[in-house]
Amino acid sequence: MSTLTLTLRAGDLPSARISLMGITPSALAGKSADEVARTNLQAGAQSVALGDLFSISGTAGETLVISGSSGTLDDIGNRLEAGTMIVEGDIGSYGGRRMSGGKLEIKGNAGPYLASRMSDGLITVAGSAGDSVGGIKAGEKFGMTGGQVVVEGSIGARAGDRMRRGLIIARGKFGAHAGSRMMGGTLWTEAGFGAEPGALLRRGTLIGPSVEALLPTFVDGGRHDLVVLGLISQHTKRTLGDLAPKALPKEVRKYSGDMATIGKGELLLFG
Amino acid sequence: MSDVNPNPGDAPKTINGIQIDATFAEAFGMSATGVVITADTPKWAMIAAKTMSGFGTSVIGCGAECGIDCEVPASDTPDGRPGVRVLLFGFSPDAVLPQLKNRVGQCVLTSPGSACYNGVEAKETLKLSTGIRFFGDGYQTAKTLDGRRFWRVPVMDGEFICEDTTGVVTDAVGGGNLLIIGKDRAGLLETTEAAVEAIAKVPDVITPFPGGIVRSGSKVGAKYAGMMASTNNAFCPTLKAFPVSELSEDTIAVLEIVIDGLTSDAVAQAMKAGLKSVIETGAKHDVTRVSAGNYGGKLGQHHYHLLEHLP
């Protein structure tokens, strides 16, 4: 398995944010180090050669490592289709946006719009993630439509905004308004939801041990022993292995909502 | 399910005092699908599976041939509960689909705590949930996990989970068979039961008749107009006096095992397992001979020669 490593040269950073749009294993596969170095990146309004910012080592192939990354690097893993991207450090906005396959492994924190409009693949974050994970940019119809995101820390506000399918897991908390306008998919926190999750939730599942404040349009349906909990637990165990959260308990308390819409969504609380 | 046996000319072989005829089982290409049924306990998964596979002995009269392939451990089912895999065989995917939907709708949806999942991995799929999910009357929802869509239909004990599609294969085989012949009816039944148990250990096959055994083997057609099949008189012991009889004077009874499999190799493995069991246990129960049913090799695409499937 061939690996290409791009190491950010800290001293050469422009003041503007840098977009790594198009820098994926499949886009770089087969290119020589010189060709990779000549690849243009957008830094604010300027165009910058990749080789001016990064040291390049290894051979382009299935794995791409971005070393020394920082929160000013946007679009890492944007439109990733296959292969593995490993980021040593933090990333900025739009990480894994419109990703349709492969794996994006972030060893630091992620900025906002992680996994926005993602359709398949796996994103892992060792730290925390910003707002609108799996959500949309203004004007878009659907957020995340597939794939899985596992965040070891917490997630910011509005996770899963307009999400349709897929699974977002946080070991920490989800911020306020998680699952807003959601049409499907699953949000699962091991630490709890912030205030008012599920505003205008149509379908979809929010799972966690607690919630800071419920919307008045969520209705307590009492305790339930649901087979789908086993289905979700088995699925995560099979696909995520050690990354999978602890299996869900047999019983949960189910709140149906958002009754301001069609009310086919659910907030499932355990513990 | 068999006709008279043409002898291809080879000599029969005798092992442990049991004659193995130099003939072959003639089987047909079929389509097959399957489901994995889970429930809170193995007992209730099995109840749903048995109910679903009831009245599924022959595709001619029942619309499909159905049976239990195996129990599935909880660790291998989609929801982590104990399961049972049921297979259904029919002439085509179009013929299998209504049988699948009716049986799941009437026998699995109705069974306490049940859920129903894809049971056959194949490129071609059948819409398992169509119709059944509408039982939810608009309250049903779907959960998609790893590209697999599961419908959640509200029912009185919680939710019935039904996967959206299940696989269907068109290169399955139906009609592998063994005719087991003996001098003692009770002993013959015991031997045949043991053979069915041996076949049950082979994956991807079912023996769709009651307890896996047929006592009314048939031939194609009859003297009466409109009868598609009639008794296999050549293997009826009470008709030994007639010239077409293929039974020796001391034969008391004949039992048949019919085998359907997802692949030809699975049927061949099942034939081997059944033959091995009969050869090992039959002599002490006065089993004298094993034969097989065929139609002269002109109707079925798959021929399983007994002498080529000896243990």
Side-chain angles (χ1 to χ4, degrees):
Chain A
M1 191 178 76
S2 47
T3 300
L4 181 74
T5 301
L6 307 179
T7 304
L8 188 65
R9 291 199 292 262
D12 299 336
L13 277 179
S15 56
R17 302 186 67 81
I18 302 158
S19 169
L20 266 68
M21 178 77 82
I23 306 301
T24 62
S26 50
L28 300 183
K31 290 188 175 177
S32 67
D34 281 348
E35 287 171 317
V36 172
R38 287 199 298 271
T39 305
N40 280 330
L41 302 176
Q42 202 67 29
Q46 307 294 314
S47 187
V48 185
L50 187 148
D52 291 344
L53 302 176
F54 292 89
S55 303
I56 301 164
S57 61
T59 309
E62 300 85 22
T63 303
L64 174 62
V65 177
I66 297 175
S67 184
S69 179
S70 83
T72 60
L73 299 185
D74 294 336
D75 295 306
I76 292 182
N78 195 323
R79 295 181 190 257
L80 177 64
E81 295 171 341
T84 301
M85 289 184 72
I86 300 168
V87 185
E88 295 169 346
D90 298 340
I91 69 167
S93 305
Y94 308 119
R97 178 172 149 83
R98 303 188 76 163
M99 180 171 155
S100 59
K103 183 180 178 187
L104 173 60
E105 185 180 340
I106 300 155
K107 295 189 172 175
N109 300 306
Y113 298 101
L114 178 77
S116 163
R117 295 191 69 189
M118 173 185 185
S119 60
D120 204 354
L122 172 65
I123 299 176
T124 64
V125 181
S128 292
D131 294 345
S132 293
V133 172
I136 57 163
K137 289 169 79 172
E140 291 174 340
K141 190 173 182 183
F142 298 123
M144 188 170 165
T145 57
Q148 299 183 94
V149 177
V150 181
V151 178
E152 293 297 324
S154 294
I155 292 179
R158 280 194 179 274
D161 186 26
R162 283 194 176 273
M163 178 175 174
R164 189 147 195 208
R165 282 182 291 272
L167 175 62
I168 301 175
I169 295 168
R171 306 248 186 264
K173 294 184 72 170
F174 277 85
H177 311 300
S180 57
R181 304 185 290 181
M182 206 167 137
M183 288 162 270
T186 306
L187 306 183
W188 182 353
T189 164
E190 292 195 304
F193 287 101
E196 299 184 336
L200 298 179
L201 172 71
R202 293 176 66 82
R203 299 182 193 82
T205 307
L206 280 58
I207 307 171
S210 61
V211 59
E212 280 178 21
L214 264 180
L215 283 165
T217 44
F218 271 69
V219 180
D220 187 354
R223 297 195 67 76
H224 293 272
D225 167 12
L226 297 173
V227 175
V228 75
L229 300 174
L231 193 63
I232 294 170
S233 293
Q234 286 292 111
H235 162 74
T236 52
K237 185 177 160 190
R238 192 179 64 252
T239 57
L240 296 175
D242 293 341
L243 288 172
K246 191 178 164 193
L248 288 165
K250 205 169 155 49
E251 280 196 356
V252 291
R253 190 163 203 96
K254 176 175 171 171
Y255 295 83
S256 293
D258 184 345
M259 293 301 182
T261 66
I262 59 175
K264 289 167 92 170
E266 58 191 352
L267 170 65
L268 306 176
L269 298 184
F270 59 86
Chain B
M1 296 298 292
S2 57
D3 206 340
V4 291
N5 287 320
N7 191 328
D10 294 338
K13 193 169 179 180
T14 300
I15 307 172
N16 290 350
I18 298 171
Q19 177 186 309
I20 312 298
D21 283 1
T23 188
F24 60 92
E26 186 172 351
F28 300 85
M30 294 186 93
S31 293
T33 186
V35 291
V36 170
I37 298 168
T38 65
D40 295 329
T41 62
K43 173 187 165 185
W44 277 100
M46 187 58 78
I47 287 172
K50 282 183 176 171
T51 311
M52 179 186 167
S53 52
F55 189 59
T57 56
S58 166
V59 72
I60 295 168
C62 307
E65 296 179 9
C66 314
I68 292 167
D69 174 26
C70 60
E71 293 186 46
V72 184
S75 56
D76 294 343
T77 64
D79 60 23
R81 302 187 303 162
V84 176
R85 186 192 198 203
V86 175
L87 299 180
L88 288 87
F89 293 77
F91 288 129
S92 68
D94 287 345
V96 168
L97 181 60
Q99 286 289 324
L100 176 71
K101 285 162 64 173
N102 284 343
R103 288 166 185 272
V104 171
Q106 299 303 314
C107 308
V108 185
L109 165 69
T110 55
S111 183
S114 67
C116 189
Y117 303 104
N118 175 12
V120 172
E121 291 301 327
K123 277 186 182 173
E124 196 175 343
T125 57
L126 297 176
K127 288 292 270 182
L128 173 61
S129 73
T130 304
I132 294 163
R133 71 172 189 261
F134 297 123
F135 185 72
D137 197 25
Y139 295 100
Q140 73 275 15
T141 57
K143 178 65 63 188
T144 301
L145 298 167
D146 204 18
R148 293 172 69 177
R149 194 177 203 195
F150 304 94
W151 285 96
R152 302 166 61 187
V153 181
V155 286
M156 293 196 302
D157 73 347
E159 288 180 335
F160 173 60
I161 307 267
C162 183
E163 189 156 358
D164 192 43
T165 60
T166 188
V168 61
V169 293
T170 53
D171 54 354
V173 176
N177 66 80
L178 295 169
L179 290 165
I180 304 163
I181 300 160
K183 295 188 290 185
D184 175 63
R185 206 155 65 87
L188 175 66
L189 183 58
E190 205 172 315
T191 301
T192 313
E193 283 178 327
V196 169
E197 283 175 25
I199 290 168
K201 292 175 185 158
V202 177
D204 297 340
V205 298
I206 60 166
T207 49
F209 282 91
I213 303 172
V214 199
R215 68 93 173 262
S216 58
S218 60
K219 66 178 181 291
V220 175
K223 66 183 286 185
Y224 303 106
M227 287 287 287
M228 292 174 70
S230 61
T231 192
N232 187 5
N233 47 306
F235 280 84
C236 290
T238 57
L239 302 179
K240 280 186 290 190
F242 289 82
V244 294
S245 178
E246 292 212 9
L247 301 179
S248 61
E249 185 271 334
D250 61 349
T251 297
I252 291 288
V254 181
L255 292 175
E256 181 176 1
I257 302 173
V258 173
I259 303 161
D260 295 345
L262 291 181
T263 62
S264 179
D265 184 57
V267 173
Q269 294 305 318
M271 293 280 290
K272 272 185 191 173
L275 269 172
K276 182 171 186 284
S277 174
V278 173
I279 288 166
E280 286 176 356
T281 65
K284 65 183 175 190
H285 294 303
D286 283 339
V287 168
T288 56
R289 184 181 155 206
V290 180
S291 191
N294 60 56
Y295 308 92
K298 294 171 187 165
L299 295 180
Q301 307 94 312
H302 302 275
H303 300 166
Y304 302 95
H305 290 268
L306 297 184
L307 297 180
E308 292 172 7
H309 291 82
L310 293 173

